[in-house]
Amino acid sequence: MRLLREFNLAKGTVDRWLQARDDEEWAASMVAMSERSPKRMGNRDRAELARLRAENEALKKKVAQSEAAQQILGKAFELLEGLTTSSNEEQTTIPTALMSADE
């Protein structure tokens, strides 16, 4: 009973399976049941699933590339910001050898 609840099976379904097993019609019974199943996936659904999986993989690659580009741009910004800061500091402290007598 626990298995019936766990797998959401009706007792009648399991009884038919057991009867088919006893009558040695197990394989034929299972094929017939699967062909009548409303959850069976058709060719269109399979094709769409394959297309969506391929699209998903392509989008994952695109996201990974975008994240890598964002990291590179962030590092480049930090580098340029550091260069700008260091060049500003150098301008405020002019070595005395380069100063004229008027300065």
Side-chain angles (χ1 to χ4, degrees):
M1 292 305 274
R2 188 192 73 165
L3 288 174
L4 295 177
R5 283 191 305 269
E6 186 176 331
F7 293 103
N8 197 22
L9 297 172
K11 184 168 178 0
T13 302
V14 175
D15 289 341
R16 282 194 307 272
W17 290 347
L18 293 174
Q19 184 64 38
R21 181 197 63 187
D22 293 342
D23 295 342
E24 297 180 1
E25 297 174 0
W26 175 253
S29 173
M30 294 305 293
V31 169
M33 289 295 288
S34 69
E35 288 175 351
R36 289 191 308 235
S37 174
K39 295 180 183 177
R40 185 168 183 219
M41 190 179 293
N43 288 339
R44 279 186 174 175
D45 293 335
R46 285 190 188 121
E48 183 179 6
L49 181 61
R51 182 187 62 78
L52 290 173
R53 284 181 176 166
E55 183 181 349
N56 190 14
E57 287 302 316
L59 290 173
K60 284 180 182 179
K61 287 179 185 177
K62 199 170 189 177
V63 166
Q65 289 174 344
S66 296
E67 288 174 349
Q70 185 179 8
Q71 287 178 350
I72 291 169
L73 288 173
K75 290 178 182 180
F77 177 77
E78 289 175 6
L79 178 65
L80 289 173
E81 190 176 52
L83 289 174
T84 303
T85 304
S86 67
S87 70
N88 286 343
E89 290 174 1
E90 289 174 6
Q91 287 178 356
T92 57
T93 57
I94 300 173
T96 54
L98 295 177
M99 289 186 191
S100 65
D102 295 336
E103 294 178 327

